[in-house]
Structures are given as structure tokens and as C-alpha cells.
């Protein structure tokens, strides 16, 4: 045994591919191939001055004094094996792998030991079948001396060796035979390059973090005020951020420094790519910030934004009957112009040959997501215009909404076009907003048909149609009985249209319970509960408490904010009510109810110029809506005491917008105008033919803001004419009847209106003591400050003051009227100055001083 010596040597390992399995199948063939290997290898080893250290089964360990000799020997051996394999059948071919490394070895008893041997043994399996793999040390020694190219394989982790070992493959020309190229064998592939820069680790970490963020956002976003749109944006941002994360990983996670070529190339490219990535990141953040800013921007009635992006093609409307060409073209142009004002809706020109195309075909040819088609029909020159439109999805041909509206032939075609365009635009906007109307975090339905029916139910509130919203909810429940939101909205719509004679209180409660059972905690069920408590149970305090418990769980639901507004208005919180209606109007400016209430509340709060601006917006958007023109004229009366606008709306040029100038709404307004003008005989004659027991309001109560029923109004007009005896007879005919009605309805709000009606009859009928006694319970709440009055108390305070004035208690009447003029929903000074019902106070200096303090003077002196 000799002492160990350390010296430099090149070590080559060879191994037969698949030898173990071959030995199990055909041991004789395996032995013959092993002999063949030794027969070919031994002369080559001797020729290149190598020494066979040992044979381990089918593997050979050979040492050479130079790396070049080792690689040349390995190359010649692979060449001879390739030539042999070309001359024998496939089953008798011999394929080996060769690995070579250069380094210090320890020579002991004829054997070689050390890391160099271990590395060479671990490099050999990484060679391609029939190929040669060498380490960086071998590469450095033979580069420029060896004729064949050496292709980098990248850094590899070898068992028992610290760090990564760069490897190279000897490019052997014959390996391209059979369709395999050298690069496909030796050069690192795409996956290998990803491994070099740890991209799989970066992708794994990023994917895990993104998945956790999405799960958390979907679970907690209702509690932190995050909208569904924002969650979708988060998901999109994470998806867009994935290539950014990979790029950042490539830039900042270096490959192995042991591979100078790969490391140098990475250092040169990463800063060039960094500039491009930086520009992309800045653009991404800018666009994202602008998008998030738009999400937080409130909509205003004058400047509307569409939710989502929609591309629309508007087909020419069909002409049916005697329709002027300007009306036909105007409707299509008006719809396109109004849709264009949404900002995010793309208008696509209709193809010339679109008439015979299906919605799906038009969608494919124009890239439109929505199709609008319709017709205008007028059977005779003086007949009404009937304008119809249908909104159709081009993806599946589904009809999303159908609109039909009749217009008087007196209405200008331009106004028809503008109003119908506003109606179509409102539907388009709602369809885009619909997914965000429903509460997030709760299952809806798996049936597209049921979901479509609920959408149509919510749309049906906008316009008069054959199908009511409650009926459409029932249709949705027939399709999917477990549709929780449909149960909730059915109860809400039933409460919304509640009638004490027909209302099914138990049915509403059952629908709410079903929604709660199917989706515990469903916000729409709480919304329905609030509507049930307010409209059906007439308990505004309970309804307001339920509304407040909803918090921000329905951030885009106009029903929530509209209901909150009407409850707050009723309970005496006009400013908070205005804010709720403003929010609802911003969410959907084309829905009339919220914006009308904004105008009404501005008027009731005596902000006349603001009210006029709001009503101008409504009239501009819906020019043929006569009530909007009427309300604007009423505001002008309350602001300046001018009745000319009202006369024009009722009987002048604007009367062309009323479907009938004899309709109860128009007739009642005409009676009030005659009353303000002192034409009391006409009022009495008109009341005799009036179709209803009490005059119809216009949505904002009456012009004079008083309770006006046929009997009490007749008695009032008789007193103003000086016919006291006639007033007593009228009162005597109706006092007992009204008293019975009050007794039968004593627990309802209508009973309070009946009490006021009875007191007015008694006051005008010459029973002052009875009148004062009758109103005593209603006067008691008015002792508190006017800003604490409810809507009903404020609206009826002027009636109670009238009763006191005609009952001889003038000082009390003036004191109560003074408070009413200060209260929201109270009396209006400009109208009081023109209303002859206050005649008993004309001689009172305090009454004149009260009007003067509000900038008004009496219109009459007797």
C-alpha cells in the first residue's frame, strides 16, 4: 500500500443507456454489447494515452493527462458507436452517455478519489443519449483547441456538490440524423432557461399571493366598502401583474455566477429591459389610477357616465302608416345622440343591408354588443304616434327590454325624438348597471332566464307596460323557485303598490322569509322588509331603522336610496332625504322618481333656483312629460307668485303635451287657478262635475298645498262668494258622512286627512267651536319647533291655520301660519299672498307684516 498523492487529471465516465432493463430482457445480448463497448473503447483509450481506472458494471472510469485528450477520445468513441449502430438492427444498437471533468484527484492504490471523480460521475447522466457533457473546467481548457462547437447547457445542481455547476455539450454532427438537431439535445431549452432564473419559484409565490388576495377580497369586500367592480379590477390587475412579476424576477434574480457567459448576458440585458418595463409600469399605474378615480366619481344629473363599455348599432326605425320623414329620422338620430352623451358607449353605424340580418350576424359583422331596432306608427294624420323600440343582445339574440310610448299628434317630432331617446338610453344604462344593483357575496340563480326576468322586473318600474314588476318576479320564481332575490323583490313590489283593500300582508312576510331562508342575511330581503314596514304596515320609524341596518351593502341600488329618501322625507328629515334622492339620481339619472324628488325637495326647502335647474334638466330630457312642465310652473308660482306659466301649461301652448285636457289632474289644476284668480263661481260649477271625491294632486300635492275635497272646497268657495247660508247647507249635507268615514278608518293616515276635511266643513259651515275642537289632536304636535315637524304635519299646518282663521281665532292662525312658513313642506308665502282663503286675516296688521317679512304683499284687499 502506497501513500496517497494529489495531482491534476481529466476523468471520463461512460455508461450504457438502458443497460439494466436490457440485461433483464436479454442477458446474452447485454453481455455482447458490453464486450463490443470494451472492444471499441480500449484501443481508443490507449491511442489517446488514457488509463482505464476501473469498470463498474456497464460503466467505465478513465483518466487522461489532459482535458483535450479526454474529449477527443470521447468524441471518437461516440463516432464509432454511431457508425456501428447504422449497420445493425435497432434492437442490437449500443448507445452510451459520456461525462468529462477536470480537476484535482487523489491517487491511492491505483484508484482515483475526490470531488473531481464525483462530479464526472454526476455529469455523465446529464449528457444526451449518444452525446458528451463536459464541465466549465474542461470547457476552459479546450475552447479554441477543439474543432467541434461546445453548447451551454446552463447551471445544474449536482448531488453532494455546493452551488450550481455550468455544463456544456459537445456538438456532434451525426446527432442531427433522424430529425434531431444538436441544439435540441445540447442547448438549454425554454424550461431550462426559466429554471436558471428561478422563474418557477417566482410564479409559484406570485400565484399563491394573488389567490389569497382574491379569496380575501371576495369574502370581506362588502364589509370594507369595496364594490364588485373594484374586486373585478383587482383580479384584472393581478392577472396583468403576472408578466410584470416574471419580468421583475428575471431582472433581479441573477443566474449562477459560475456560468460567466449566462451571467454576463443577463447583466447586459436586464437594464435595457428595465427601461421598457419601467415605461410599462408607469403606464399601467396611470391607467389604473384613472380607472379607480372614475370608480369613485359620483354621477350628476347633468353629466352621466355609463357603467361598463357597450357598443351599440341603432337600426333605422320602420315607418308604419303616415309618419313624417323628419320624425322617423329624428328618433334614430336622437337615440344615437343621447347614447353618445353617456361617454363610454360606442355607436356603430348600421350596415346598409342590415334589415334582413339576425342580431347574432349583425354582432359578428359590426362587433356591436347591443342592437336597437324599432318602429313609428301613425294610422291617420290626426292619430297618435306609437313609438316602439327593442333592445337586443347580439350575443344570443335575447330581447333585453321593449319600450312602447304613445304621443299626441300635437307634440313636436323633435320632442318625441328627445324623450323616447332618453327612455331608450335609460334602459341601456340600467342594463349595464344591473349586475352591480344586486348585493355582492350572495348567490343569485343558476338560470339565465330567471335572472333576465328579474332584470325586466326592475326595468318595468320605469315605464307603463303590460307586465308589472311583481308579475315578472313571479315568472322568475316559476323558473327558479329558489331565487332568493326574486322572492325579496316580489315582496318589495307588492309593498310598493300596497292597497289596504287588496294587500296580502302575510304573503309579503312569507316572501321575505323565503329570501332570508335561501340566502341568510340577504340585503334585498332587508330592503323588502323596510318597504313592507313603510308602505304596508305604515311604520316609518321601523322602516328607517331597517334601512339604516343595511349600511353600504347595496351601494348601487337606486331602490335603497329612493326608499331611504321617502322615509326620511316623511319623518321630517328633508335635508337628509334630499341627500338620499341625490345619491339615487346620480346612480341613475334617467330614472324619473329620484330626480323629481330632488326638485320637489329643493322647492319644499325654498331653494327655488336650484329646483328650477333640476326641473329644467327633467324637461330637457323628457320634453313631452307634461307633469315636469307643470312642476316647473308651480315652482315659478311659489318663487315669484306668477301664475302665467301655470295658465300656459294648463290651457295655453303647452297643453299639447297633455293626453287629455279634461283629465282629472288638469281639471283639478284649472280649478285651483280659478280659485287663485277669485273666480269662485267657476270653482263651484267645476266641482259639481269633477270625477273624484277629492282633487287629484300632481305628485307634489296641490298648487295651494291644502286638502281640497269637493264638499269642503265647495263650502269654502261659497263663503268666499258671500253665500254663508249655502256653505252651511253644504256642510250639513256632508259632516255626518265624513264623521262615519273617519270612524271606519281611524287607524290610518287617511283618517287624519278626514279630520282636516271635517274641520274645514265645520269652519266654513259656521260651527267654529266644533272645528277648533276637531283639530285639537292635530295641533298638539305643532307646538314643537317647525324643523321637527313630519312631512304630514308641515303639509297640513296651513289647513289648520285656515280652520283657526275662519273660526275667529285669528291670532292663533297667524302664529301657526308663521311657523308653517318656516317649516320645510310648510306654507309658501307667495301663494299665501295670492290665496283668497286667508280673507279673514286681511284686516290683521300682523298678517300683512308676516307676508312683508317674507317679501310678499297681499294680492287682494277684500
Amino acid at each position: 500500500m502506497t501513500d496517497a498523492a494529489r495531482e491534476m487529471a481529466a476523468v471520463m465516465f461512460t455508461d450504457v443507456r438502458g443497460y439494466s432493463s436490457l440485461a433483464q430482457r436479454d442477458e446474452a445480448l447485454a453481455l455482447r454489447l458490453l464486450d463490443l463497448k470494451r472492444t471499441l473503447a480500449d484501443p481508443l483509450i490507449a491511442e489517446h494515452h488514457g488509463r482505464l481506472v476501473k469498470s463498474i458494471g456497464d460503466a467505465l472510469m478513465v483518466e487522461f493527462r489532459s482535458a483535450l485528450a479526454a474529449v477527443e477520445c470521447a468524441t471518437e468513441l461516440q463516432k464509432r458507436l454511431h457508425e456501428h449502430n447504422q449497420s445493425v438492427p435497432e434492437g442490437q444498437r449500443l448507445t452510451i452517455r459520456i461525462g468529462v471533468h477536470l480537476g484535482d484527484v487523489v491517487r491511492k492504490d491505483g484508484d482515483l478519489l475526490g470531488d473531481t471523480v464525483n462530479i464526472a460521475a454526476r455529469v455523465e447522466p446529464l449528457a444526451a443519449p449518444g452525446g458528451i457533457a463536459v464541465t466549465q473546467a474542461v470547457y476552459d481548457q479546450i475552447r479554441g483547441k477543439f474543432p467541434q462547437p461546445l453548447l451551454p447547457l446552463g447551471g445544474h445542481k449536482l448531488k453532494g456538490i455546493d452551488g450550481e455547476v455550468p455544463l456544456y455539450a459537445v456538438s456532434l454532427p451525426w446527432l442531427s440524423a433522424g430529425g434531431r438537431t444538436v441544439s435540441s439535445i445540447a442547448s438549454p431549452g425554454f424550461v431550462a432557461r426559466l429554471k436558471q432564473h428561478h422563474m418557477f419559484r417566482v410564479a409559484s409565490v406570485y400565484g399563491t399571493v394573488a389567490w389569497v388576495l382574491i379569496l380575501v377580497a371576495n369574502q370581506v369586500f362588502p364589509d370594507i366598502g369595496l364594490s364588485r367592480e373594484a374586486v373585478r379590477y383587482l383580479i384584472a390587475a393581478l392577472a396583468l401583474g403576472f408578466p410584470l412579476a416574471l419580468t421583475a424576477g428575471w431582472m433581479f434574480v441573477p443566474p449562477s455566477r459560475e456560468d460567466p457567459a449566462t451571467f454576463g448576458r443577463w447583466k447586459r440585458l436586464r437594464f435595457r429591459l428595465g427601461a421598457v418595463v419601467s415605461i410599462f409600469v408607469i403606464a399601467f399605474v396611470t391607467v389604473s389610477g384613472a380607472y379607480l378615480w372614475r370608480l369613485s366619481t359620483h354621477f350628476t344629473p347633468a353629466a352621466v357616465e355609463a357603467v361598463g363599455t357597450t357598443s351599440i348599432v341603432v337600426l333605422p326605425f320602420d315607418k308604419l302608416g303616415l309618419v313624417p320623414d323628419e320624425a322617423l329620422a329624428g328618433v334614430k338620430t336622437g337615440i344615437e345622440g343621447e347614447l353618445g352623451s353617456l361617454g363610454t358607449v360606442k355607436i356603430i353605424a348600421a350596415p346598409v343591408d342590415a334589415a334582413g340580418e339576425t342580431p347574432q350576424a349583425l354582432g359578428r359583422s359590426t362587433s356591436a354588443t347591443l342592437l336597437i331596432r324599432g318602429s313609428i306608427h301613425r294610422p291617420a294624420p290626426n292619430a297618435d304616434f306609437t313609438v316602439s323600440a327593442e333592445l337586443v343582445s347580439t350575443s344570443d339574440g335575447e330581447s333585453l327590454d321593449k319600450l312602447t310610448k304613445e304621443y299626441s299628434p300635437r307634440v313636436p317630432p323633435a320632442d318625441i325624438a328627445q324623450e323616447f331617446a332618453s327612455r331608450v338610453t335609460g334602459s341601456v344604462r340600467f342594463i349595464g348597471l344591473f349586475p352591480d344593483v344586486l348585493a355582492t357575496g350572495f348567490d343569485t340563480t343558476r338560470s339565465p332566464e330567471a335572472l333576465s326576468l328579474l332584470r325586466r322586473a326592475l326595468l318595468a318600474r320605469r315605464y307603463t307596460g303590460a307586465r308589472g314588476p311583481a308579475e315578472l318576479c313571479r315568472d322568475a320564481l316559476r323558473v327558479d323557485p329558489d331565487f332568493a332575490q326574486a322572492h325579496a323583490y316580489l315582496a318589495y313590489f307588492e309593498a310598493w303598490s300596497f292597497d289596504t283593500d287588496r294587500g296580502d300582508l302575510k304573503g309579503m312576510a312569507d316572501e321575505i322569509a323565503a329570501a332570508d331562508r335561501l340566502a341568510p342575511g340577504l340585503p334585498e330581503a332587508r330592503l323588502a322588509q323596510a318597504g313592507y314596514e313603510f308602505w304596508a304596515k305604515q311604520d316609518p320609524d321601523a322602516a328607517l331603522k331597517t334601512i339604516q341596518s343595511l349600511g353600504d351593502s347595496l351601494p348601487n341600488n337606486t331602490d335603497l336610496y329612493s326608499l331611504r329618501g321617502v322615509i326620511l322625507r316623511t319623518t321630517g328629515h328633508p335635508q337628509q332625504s334630499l341627500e338620499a334622492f341625490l345619491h339615487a339620481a346620480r346612480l341613475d339619472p334617467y330614472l324619473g322618481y329620484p330626480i323629481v324628488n330632488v326638485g320637489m325637495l329643493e322647492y319644499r326647502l325654498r331653494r327655488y333656483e336650484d329646483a328650477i335647474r333640476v326641473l329644467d334638466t327633467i324637461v330637457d330630457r323628457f320634453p313631452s312629460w307634461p307633469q315636469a312642465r307643470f312642476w316647473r310652473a308651480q315652482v315659478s308660482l311659489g318663487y315669484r307668485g306668477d301664475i302665467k306659466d301655470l295658465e300656459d301649461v294648463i290651457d295655453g301652448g303647452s297643453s299639447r303635451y297633455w293626453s287629455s285636457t279634461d283629465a282629472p289632474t288638469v281639471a283639478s289644476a284649472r280649478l285651483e287657478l280659478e280659485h287663485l284668480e277669485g273666480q269662485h263661481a267657476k270653482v263651484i260649477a267645476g266641482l259639481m262635475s269633477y270625477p273624484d271625491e277629492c282633487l287629484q294632486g300632481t305628485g307634489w300635492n296641490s298648487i295651494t298645498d291644502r286638502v281640497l275635497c269637493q264638499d269642503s272646497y265647495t263650502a269654502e268657495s261659497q263663503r268666499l262668494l258671500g253665500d254663508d247660508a249655502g256653505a252651511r247647507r253644504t256642510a250639513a249635507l256632508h259632516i255626518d258622512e265624513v264623521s262615519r268615514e273617519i270612524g271606519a278608518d281611524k287607524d290610518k293616515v287617511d283618517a287624519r286627512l278626514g279630520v282636516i276635511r271635517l274641520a274645514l266643513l265645520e269652519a266654513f259651515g259656521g260651527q267654529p267651536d266644533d272645528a277648533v275642537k276637531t283639530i285639537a289632536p292635530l295641533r298638539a304636535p305643532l307646538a314643537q319647533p317647525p324643523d321637527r315637524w313630519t312631512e304630514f304635519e308641515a303639509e297640513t299646518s296651513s289647513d289648520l291655520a285656515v280652520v283657526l282663521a275662519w273660526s275667529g281665532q285669528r291670532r292663533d292662525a297667524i302664529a301657526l301660519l308663521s311657523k308653517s312658513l318656516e317649516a320645510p313642506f310648510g306654507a309658501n308665502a307667495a301663494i299665501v299672498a295670492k290665496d283668497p282663503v286667508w280673507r279673514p286675516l286681511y284686516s290683521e296688521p300682523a298678517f300683512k307684516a308676516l307676508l312683508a317679512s317674507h317679501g310678499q304683499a297681499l294680492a287682494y284687499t277684500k
Side-chain angles (χ1 to χ4, degrees):
M1 185 173 181
T2 62
D3 294 332
R6 183 178 295 274
E7 58 187 20
M8 183 72 68
V11 179
M12 179 181 78
F13 268 82
T14 70
D15 187 47
V16 178
R17 178 192 180 192
Y19 184 82
S20 298
S21 59
L22 175 63
Q24 291 178 357
R25 295 195 311 271
D26 191 340
E27 185 177 5
L29 175 61
L31 291 173
R32 287 199 305 274
L33 291 177
L34 194 58
D35 289 338
L36 172 64
K37 174 185 174 183
R38 291 295 301 272
T39 301
L40 293 175
D42 288 346
L44 289 174
I45 293 171
E47 181 181 338
H48 290 86
H49 309 291
R51 181 177 75 87
L52 178 63
V53 178
K54 58 183 173 181
S55 174
I56 311 168
D58 62 315
L60 300 179
M61 175 181 170
V62 184
E63 72 162 321
F64 295 87
R65 296 191 175 277
S66 74
L68 182 61
V71 174
E72 287 176 342
C73 178
T75 302
E76 188 64 21
L77 177 58
Q78 291 287 28
K79 179 181 178 182
R80 294 189 181 184
L81 285 172
H82 172 68
E83 292 171 350
H84 167 77
N85 289 338
Q86 298 301 307
S87 62
V88 297
E90 183 175 352
Q92 298 179 18
R93 292 175 181 176
L94 178 64
T95 302
I96 68 172
R97 292 184 175 93
I98 301 177
V100 182
H101 180 49
L102 174 69
D104 285 343
V105 296
V106 175
R107 192 181 303 279
K108 190 173 183 180
D109 297 334
D111 198 3
L112 298 181
L113 305 174
D115 286 341
T116 297
V117 176
N118 295 333
I119 292 173
R122 287 168 173 73
V123 168
E124 172 268 326
L126 298 177
I132 304 166
V134 301
T135 63
Q136 182 74 43
V138 174
Y139 173 84
D140 292 337
Q141 288 295 315
I142 69 174
R143 182 173 54 184
K145 304 173 184 176
F146 185 71
Q148 301 299 331
L150 299 172
L151 304 176
L153 292 175
H156 290 264
K157 184 71 176 176
L158 303 182
K159 182 179 179 181
I161 306 300
D162 294 333
E164 289 187 346
V165 177
L167 300 181
Y168 295 83
V170 177
S171 177
L172 303 175
W174 55 83
L175 285 183
S176 62
R180 291 201 325 179
T181 64
V182 173
S183 60
S184 67
I185 299 172
S187 63
F190 178 75
V191 174
R193 287 194 294 271
L194 290 179
K195 287 182 178 180
Q196 288 178 11
H197 295 277
H198 310 284
M199 289 298 98
F200 290 108
R201 296 181 186 178
V202 173
S204 177
V205 171
Y206 185 92
T208 301
V209 172
W211 179 246
V212 170
L213 283 175
I214 293 171
L215 287 179
V216 171
N218 274 294
Q219 289 297 321
V220 306
F221 73 83
D223 300 323
I224 62 175
L226 202 61
S227 68
R228 179 183 291 183
E229 186 72 13
V231 173
R232 286 201 293 265
Y233 176 75
L234 171 64
I235 296 172
L238 290 171
L240 290 173
F242 182 71
L244 293 178
L246 292 181
T247 304
W250 187 90
M251 289 175 60
F252 299 109
V253 180
S256 173
R257 293 176 179 268
E258 295 180 20
D259 182 355
T262 303
F263 186 79
R265 184 170 58 253
W266 171 77
K267 288 184 66 176
R268 290 192 303 272
L269 291 178
R270 68 167 181 157
F271 292 111
R272 300 176 190 174
L273 183 61
V276 177
V277 172
S278 298
I279 294 173
F280 184 83
V281 168
I282 292 171
F284 179 82
V285 171
T286 302
V287 172
S288 302
Y291 184 85
L292 289 174
W293 176 84
R294 187 175 66 82
L295 280 180
S296 64
T297 301
H298 294 297
F299 298 121
T300 63
V304 184
E305 288 184 2
V307 177
T309 301
T310 305
S311 54
I312 299 177
V313 58
V314 183
L315 299 182
F317 275 43
D318 295 331
K319 178 180 178 180
L320 305 176
L322 303 174
V323 179
D325 291 338
E326 63 270 20
L328 193 69
V331 170
K332 180 179 184 297
T333 303
I335 291 174
E336 291 177 336
E338 193 70 16
L339 289 170
S341 70
L342 290 177
T344 56
V345 173
K346 181 181 179 182
I347 307 299
I348 299 176
V352 178
D353 56 348
E357 294 286 343
T358 65
Q360 294 91 328
L362 282 171
R364 289 191 295 270
S365 63
T366 64
S367 300
T369 59
L370 192 66
L371 167 71
I372 298 177
R373 60 191 177 192
S375 65
I376 307 179
H377 180 218
R378 187 172 68 158
N382 295 322
D384 287 348
F385 289 93
T386 301
V387 187
S388 300
E390 184 180 20
L391 281 67
V392 182
S393 169
T394 58
S395 62
D396 54 10
E398 179 191 1
S399 176
L400 302 177
D401 190 29
K402 293 181 180 179
L403 301 88
T404 299
K405 174 72 175 175
E406 291 187 353
Y407 296 92
S408 166
R410 300 186 300 271
V411 178
D415 287 355
I416 293 176
Q418 174 58 43
E419 180 175 307
F420 197 77
S422 295
R423 291 176 178 271
V424 172
T425 302
S427 290
V428 171
R429 177 174 170 76
F430 174 82
I431 290 168
L433 185 68
F434 173 68
D436 293 325
V437 169
L438 303 179
T440 54
F442 295 87
D443 291 335
T444 52
T445 176
R446 297 183 183 275
S447 168
E449 181 184 359
L451 196 63
S452 175
L453 286 166
L454 179 62
R455 184 195 64 235
R456 294 185 182 187
L458 296 175
L459 268 171
R461 298 163 302 160
R462 295 166 173 268
Y463 320 117
T464 302
R467 308 292 303 282
E471 185 180 355
L472 287 164
C473 285
R474 291 191 182 92
D475 289 345
L477 290 172
R478 278 192 281 271
V479 175
D480 181 3
D482 295 331
F483 191 179
Q485 285 83 353
H487 283 286
Y489 274 109
L490 175 56
Y492 178 81
F493 292 135
E494 288 286 5
W496 182 43
S497 59
F498 182 74
D499 187 303
T500 53
D501 296 330
R502 297 182 294 103
D504 182 4
L505 293 175
K506 185 178 184 304
M508 294 179 213
D510 289 345
E511 295 296 339
I512 295 170
D516 266 330
R517 174 178 52 81
L518 292 166
L522 182 69
E524 283 89 346
R526 301 281 67 74
L527 175 64
Q529 179 69 28
Y532 169 74
E533 291 164 343
F534 179 72
W535 285 305
K537 302 292 286 183
Q538 297 182 7
D539 189 349
D541 293 332
L544 183 59
K545 185 176 180 181
T546 301
I547 282 285
Q548 290 171 338
S549 70
L550 281 169
D552 296 326
S553 56
L554 292 170
N556 296 310
N557 191 298
T558 55
D559 287 302
L560 170 65
Y561 292 98
S562 294
L563 180 56
R564 177 181 290 173
V566 72
I567 295 172
L568 288 167
R569 188 188 70 197
T570 303
T571 53
H573 301 86
Q575 184 58 42
Q576 296 178 40
S577 174
L578 175 63
E579 292 169 1
F581 280 120
L582 270 171
H583 190 81
R586 288 165 183 156
L587 288 173
D588 194 349
Y590 286 90
L591 183 60
Y593 182 72
I595 189 63
V596 165
N597 273 274
V598 169
M600 184 265 284
L601 282 161
E602 297 284 18
Y603 171 62
R604 293 299 191 177
L605 291 168
R606 300 180 178 82
R607 302 170 185 168
Y608 301 114
E609 293 182 356
D610 290 338
I612 289 172
R613 278 195 293 269
V614 171
L615 290 167
D616 282 341
T617 300
I618 300 173
V619 171
D620 290 344
R621 188 164 290 149
F622 301 100
S624 67
W625 189 11
Q627 283 84 355
R629 295 176 181 269
F630 185 92
W631 296 326
R632 186 172 62 179
Q634 185 171 341
V635 171
S636 180
L637 172 65
Y639 186 18
R640 301 184 179 91
D642 186 3
I643 65 173
K644 292 181 181 179
D645 288 346
L646 274 171
E647 290 175 336
D648 181 64
V649 170
I650 299 304
D651 291 317
S654 297
S655 64
R656 63 181 178 269
Y657 296 105
W658 297 99
S659 58
S660 171
T661 55
D662 294 326
T665 299
V666 183
S668 64
R670 187 181 294 113
L671 286 172
E672 290 195 72
L673 282 177
E674 292 168 348
H675 166 79
L676 292 177
E677 293 170 341
Q679 302 178 43
H680 305 302
K682 285 187 176 181
V683 173
I684 295 172
L687 288 169
M688 292 178 64
S689 59
Y690 192 78
D692 298 321
E693 189 177 54
C694 294
L695 269 63
Q696 288 195 6
T698 60
W700 291 9
N701 299 311
S702 61
I703 293 174
T704 57
D705 288 336
R706 292 192 291 110
V707 175
L708 298 173
C709 294
Q710 280 192 13
D711 42 27
S712 58
Y713 203 7
T714 299
E716 174 188 328
S717 300
Q718 288 172 326
R719 287 296 297 270
L720 292 171
L721 280 173
D723 184 8
D724 294 351
R728 285 194 294 271
R729 288 194 299 271
T730 298
L733 284 172
H734 296 283
I735 283 176
D736 290 343
E737 176 188 353
V738 174
S739 297
R740 287 193 298 272
E741 290 178 1
I742 295 170
D745 198 31
K746 60 183 179 181
D747 295 329
K748 301 294 188 296
V749 173
D750 289 344
R752 294 184 291 174
L753 296 175
V755 168
I756 295 172
R757 180 179 171 188
L758 174 61
L760 289 170
L761 280 169
E762 292 169 338
F764 295 127
Q767 303 177 33
D769 294 338
D770 291 341
V772 173
K773 182 179 179 181
T774 298
I775 65 171
L778 298 181
R779 286 181 65 189
L782 304 184
Q784 58 186 337
D787 59 357
R788 297 177 60 185
W789 291 357
T790 65
E791 178 185 6
F792 178 84
E793 290 164 350
E795 286 182 337
T796 57
S797 59
S798 59
D799 291 277
L800 304 187
V802 167
V803 171
L804 293 173
W806 285 90
S807 300
Q809 298 191 17
R810 298 175 183 176
R811 182 176 300 175
D812 290 346
I814 294 171
L816 181 55
L817 180 60
S818 176
K819 296 175 73 173
S820 181
L821 290 171
E822 298 292 338
F825 298 97
N828 184 283
I831 296 176
V832 169
K834 285 189 172 295
D835 192 345
V837 76
W838 301 103
R839 184 186 296 172
L841 304 180
Y842 283 0
S843 60
E844 296 292 327
F847 179 67
K848 296 178 182 178
L850 176 62
L851 290 177
S853 68
H854 289 274
Q856 301 294 330
L858 280 174
Y860 307 100
T861 58
K862 61 178 181 178

